[in-house]
């Protein structure tokens, strides 16, 4: 096990690749591996890229990677593609788009499929990001199709989230429905050379502005805590058009790109850097990291207790037998759940009574 | 049972690779789709890749199976280069290398010698290839 850690810290590509496989497969020992990784993480900047299929995510990621490499930074990419819910199989095609940096081993590109059966994809993604971080990658890009809670959970592992919107994505109601507005730090209208791009930009801008109105109350609420932060930041994090800057909140940016030709990619990276500075200076990075770690612990606990309970169910002859009794009206789902959780409950109560301290 | 033993889920990962100046990708597409439907995770390299690029993809993606499709006749130079590259990254031993396309009988012993585990030429059935992969995919620690 420590072989893999040593390999990763010694920048061995094979070790990194194998570690991610272990994480994906949840092979025996992967938890110890990820535990050991934690101490070596925290140096990379993580960017999440999401958007509808065909929005140009992979092409943009390719161009981003190229720019980062030009600046002398090393890059890790995790690209997530859906898998068939029927066979579990998938064709992971994002790698084809990585034409600009192909052959460059300092871009570590890894395709992952949304195997999803356990809903643990966001955990696996977060753990894979840790592996890349510990390996020493400067920039990590997580790319995923933006549809549904699962994907939103995934991009939450990123420090900065870019939402790609291709022109002609339908009227504003469509965008609201997708629920993407809440997660984007930057909105990228890609394929900006296509007709209809202007309109998409205009609609997005309107929505971002109304979003700000909507959150204004909340901002006022936190006003007192926010003020000193602004002073400390010296207004550096404030946006240019934020004339009456009385809040340190990040205003989502809007940018047009043509990923194919690389147009706008430099500006996008500038916005990413700016956002990174904002996170640092406002203390938001630390706050987000805390939220993320708390969520991670909760997710792990949920999975672990689920597994414990699975064993208890097994011990009692399997869920099917219990369901039979529910169908026959001998018992009901609530009583069954109470019954199953009882041993855990007793244990916790005992510890409370005895005042056990760790 | 340990905490993470019963949640382990293993999926066979394959890289379907087109290498060199060879634009015939119908076969690669068909095999990629068949592998997908067999429940494998398939990464497709795209056309006209160099041996180095194939090695990079195979190493980073940590695939169990590397399927190379060559119809250009350049297999005698390209395939050994790829396998040599895999060795450099300690990836040759635990990657199942299979080859498809037009490989004349006379070339086969030498190609097998270089480290190719199986060759599927014209007429080989999909089931055969899938079965071979299922049975021979290396165990990942």
């Amino acid at each position: 096990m420590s072989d893999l850690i040593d390999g990763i810290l010694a920048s061995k590509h094979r070790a990194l690749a194998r570690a991610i496989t272990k994480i994906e497969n949840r092979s025996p020992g992967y938890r110890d591996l990820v535990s050991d990784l934690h101490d070596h993480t925290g140096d990379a900047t993580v960017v999440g890229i999401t958007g509808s299929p065909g929005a140009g995510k992979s092409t943009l990621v390719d161009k981003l990677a190229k720019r980062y490499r030009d600046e002398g930074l090393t890059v890790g990419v995790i690209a997530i593609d859906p898998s068939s819910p029927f066979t579990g199989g998938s064709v992971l095609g994002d790698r084809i788009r990585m034409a600009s940096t192909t052959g460059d081993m300092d871009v570590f590109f890894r395709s992952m499929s949304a195997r999803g059966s356990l809903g643990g994809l966001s955990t696996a993604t977060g753990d894979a990001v840790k592996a890349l971080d510990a390996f020493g990658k400067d920039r990590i890009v997580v790319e995923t199709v933006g549809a549904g809670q699962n994907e939103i959970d995934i991009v939450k592992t990123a420090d900065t989230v870019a939402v790609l919107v291709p022109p002609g994505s339908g009227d504003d109601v469509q965008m609201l429905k997708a629920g993407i507005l809440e997660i984007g730090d930057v909105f990228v209208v890609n394929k900006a050379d296509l007709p209809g791009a202007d309109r998409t930009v205009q609609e997005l801008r309107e929505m971002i502005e109304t979003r700000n109105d909507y959150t204004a109350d909340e901002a006022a609420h936190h006003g007192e805590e926010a003020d000193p932060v602004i002073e400390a930041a010296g207004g550096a994090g404030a946006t240019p058009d934020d004339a009456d800057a009385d809040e340190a909140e990040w205003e989502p940016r809007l940018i047009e790109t043509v990923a194919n030709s690389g147009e706008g990619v430099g500006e996008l990276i500038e916005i990413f850097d700016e956002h990174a500075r904002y996170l640092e200076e406002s203390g938001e990075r630390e706050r987000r990291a805390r939220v993320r770690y708390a969520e991670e612990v909760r997710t792990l606990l949920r999975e672990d207790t689920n597994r414990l309970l699975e064993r208890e169910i097994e011990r009692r002859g399997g869920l099917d037998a219990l369901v039979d009794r529910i169908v026959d009206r001998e018992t009901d789902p609530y009583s069954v759940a109470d019954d199953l959780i009882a041993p855990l409950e007793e244990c916790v109560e005992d510890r409370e009574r005895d005042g056990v301290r760790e | 049972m340990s905490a993470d033993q019963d949640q382990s889920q293993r999926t066979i990962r394959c890289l379907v690779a087109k290498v060199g100046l060879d634009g015939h990708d119908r076969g690669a597409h068909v095999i990629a789709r068949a592998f997908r439907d067999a429940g494998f995770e398939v990464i497709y390299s795209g056309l006209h890749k160099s041996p180095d690029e194939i090695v990079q993809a195979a190493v980073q993606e940590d695939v169990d199976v590397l399927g190379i499709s060559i119809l250009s006749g350049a297999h005698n130079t390209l395939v050994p280069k790829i396998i040599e590259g895999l060795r450099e990254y300690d990836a040759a031993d635990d990657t199942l290398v299979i080859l498809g396309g037009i490989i004349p009988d006379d070339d086969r012993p030498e190609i097998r010698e270089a480290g190719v585990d199986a060759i599927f030429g014209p007429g080989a059935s999909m089931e055969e290839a899938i079965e071979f992969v299922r049975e021979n995919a290396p165990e990942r620690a």
Side-chain angles (χ1 to χ4, degrees):
Chain A
M1 176 50 45
S2 59
D3 282 0
L4 274 184
I5 295 283
D6 292 345
I8 288 173
L9 298 178
S11 299
K12 290 244 186 301
H13 289 94
R14 191 64 175 158
L16 174 59
R18 185 55 49 88
I20 296 178
T21 303
K22 255 178 161 337
I23 286 166
E24 258 200 297
N25 287 346
R26 303 177 162 215
S27 329
Y30 96 92
R31 292 173 76 116
D32 292 339
L33 173 76
V34 181
S35 306
D36 289 348
L37 283 174
H38 182 79
D39 200 25
H40 306 282
T41 58
D43 300 321
T45 305
V46 187
V47 173
I49 309 268
T50 185
S52 50
K57 296 179 294 294
S58 305
T59 310
L60 184 69
V61 169
D62 174 45
K63 293 297 193 298
L64 282 174
K66 177 82 173 67
R67 285 274 180 154
Y68 284 142
R69 290 298 297 135
D70 289 348
E71 290 174 26
L73 299 165
T74 56
V75 183
V77 180
I78 294 171
I80 298 151
D81 264 339
S83 67
S84 159
F86 302 108
T87 64
S90 56
V91 173
L92 309 171
D94 294 324
R95 200 177 181 100
I96 301 178
R97 308 270 174 256
M98 295 301 289
S100 310
T101 56
T102 177
D104 176 2
M105 275 307 246
D106 280 330
V107 176
F108 191 100
F109 186 101
R110 181 64 178 245
S111 317
M112 272 170 81
S113 103
R115 294 178 192 173
S117 57
L118 289 168
L121 183 58
S122 54
T123 312
T125 312
D127 291 346
V129 165
K130 282 182 193 166
L132 288 167
D133 191 346
F135 185 84
K137 293 298 182 192
D138 301 312
R139 297 282 183 274
I140 299 169
V141 183
V142 178
E143 179 206 328
T144 175
V145 171
Q149 192 58 44
N150 217 352
E151 278 70 19
I152 289 176
D153 284 346
I154 292 163
V155 296
K156 273 190 197 155
T157 60
D159 301 313
T160 303
V161 176
V163 175
L164 258 69
V165 189
S169 302
D171 57 21
D172 26 356
V173 181
Q174 287 291 332
M175 290 190 202
L176 265 185
K177 191 164 63 183
I180 55 167
L181 214 55
E182 290 78 3
I183 57 168
D185 299 306
V186 189
F187 290 89
V188 184
V189 176
N190 192 33
K191 307 188 184 182
D193 51 340
L194 291 186
D198 289 350
R199 190 165 162 219
T200 304
V201 169
Q202 201 184 335
E203 279 172 359
L204 266 175
R205 179 161 294 138
E206 229 163 77
M207 295 184 68
I208 290 169
E209 274 161 17
T210 43
R211 152 177 149 153
N212 286 348
D213 290 346
Y214 173 74
T215 52
D217 276 353
E218 208 189 332
H221 207 253
H222 295 294
E224 278 164 0
E225 303 149 46
D227 275 344
V229 177
I230 295 215
E231 274 165 42
T239 54
D241 52 1
D242 205 356
D244 51 12
D246 59 349
E247 51 178 72
E249 255 191 80
W250 173 262
E251 179 161 349
R253 299 301 184 75
L254 188 56
I255 180 174
E256 293 173 59
T257 59
V258 184
N260 245 335
S261 66
E263 204 178 303
V265 174
E267 287 90 325
L268 181 59
I269 288 184
E270 275 167 32
I271 294 178
F272 286 163
D273 292 345
E274 214 174 298
H275 189 247
R277 274 198 301 278
Y278 154 78
L279 289 176
E280 207 60 62
E281 285 160 1
S282 63
E284 183 72 7
R285 181 187 302 283
E286 204 194 322
R287 200 191 63 82
R288 284 193 191 189
R290 294 186 64 94
V291 169
R292 208 151 49 212
Y293 288 138
E295 191 53 42
E296 222 180 307
V297 172
R298 281 198 200 98
T299 307
L300 287 173
L301 284 178
R302 252 193 317 268
E303 288 176 14
D304 291 351
T305 39
N306 266 341
R307 242 185 347 268
L308 277 177
L309 289 171
E310 284 297 331
R311 279 164 65 182
E312 177 67 9
I313 291 170
E314 215 49 54
R315 202 182 60 82
R316 298 191 188 200
L319 197 55
D320 261 353
L322 293 168
V323 170
D324 283 346
R325 295 185 50 218
I326 296 173
V327 172
D328 293 342
R329 297 291 184 278
E330 280 173 36
T331 181
D332 64 288
Y334 281 91
S335 308
V336 170
D338 283 347
D339 255 14
L340 288 169
I341 202 83
L344 275 178
E345 208 167 8
E346 267 166 38
C347 176
V348 172
E349 276 166 4
D350 280 356
R351 290 166 71 88
E352 278 170 356
R353 200 173 38 244
D354 302 345
V356 177
R357 291 256 183 279
E358 293 307 314
Chain B
M1 219 180 266
S2 90
D4 41 26
Q5 219 149 36
D6 43 347
Q7 58 174 335
S8 158
Q9 41 174 344
R10 182 179 137 76
T11 306
I12 295 177
R13 285 168 69 86
C14 309
L15 173 64
V16 173
K18 287 298 299 184
V19 58
L21 285 176
D22 171 7
H24 301 277
D25 57 356
R26 173 66 61 92
H29 285 178
V30 171
I31 197 84
R33 208 169 303 168
F35 278 2
R36 178 198 66 190
D37 292 342
F40 303 167
E41 280 173 15
V42 183
I43 295 135
Y44 177 52
S45 71
L47 281 172
H48 310 309
K49 298 300 172 191
S50 71
D52 282 351
E53 289 166 8
I54 301 301
V55 169
Q56 180 189 21
V59 169
Q60 293 186 347
E61 301 287 357
D62 193 20
V63 289
D64 308 279
V65 183
L66 169 58
I68 311 168
S69 159
I70 300 184
L71 292 95
S72 65
H75 44 268
N76 284 333
T77 47
L78 294 174
V79 172
K81 265 189 195 163
I82 292 173
I83 292 170
E84 195 46 49
L86 290 178
R87 277 211 187 92
E88 246 168 67
Y89 288 100
D90 304 321
D93 290 341
D94 53 4
T95 305
L96 187 74
V97 181
I98 59 178
L99 183 61
I102 312 290
I103 315 295
D105 286 345
D106 289 353
D107 293 347
R108 292 190 178 205
E110 203 179 314
I111 289 273
R112 293 292 302 268
E113 188 66 24
V116 171
D117 297 289
I119 299 173
F120 296 93
S125 79
M126 243 6 122
E127 289 75 23
E128 215 180 303
I130 289 167
E131 209 39 53
F132 181 83
V133 167
R134 281 227 174 92
E135 272 169 22
N136 295 286
E139 207 48 62
R140 286 277 185 267

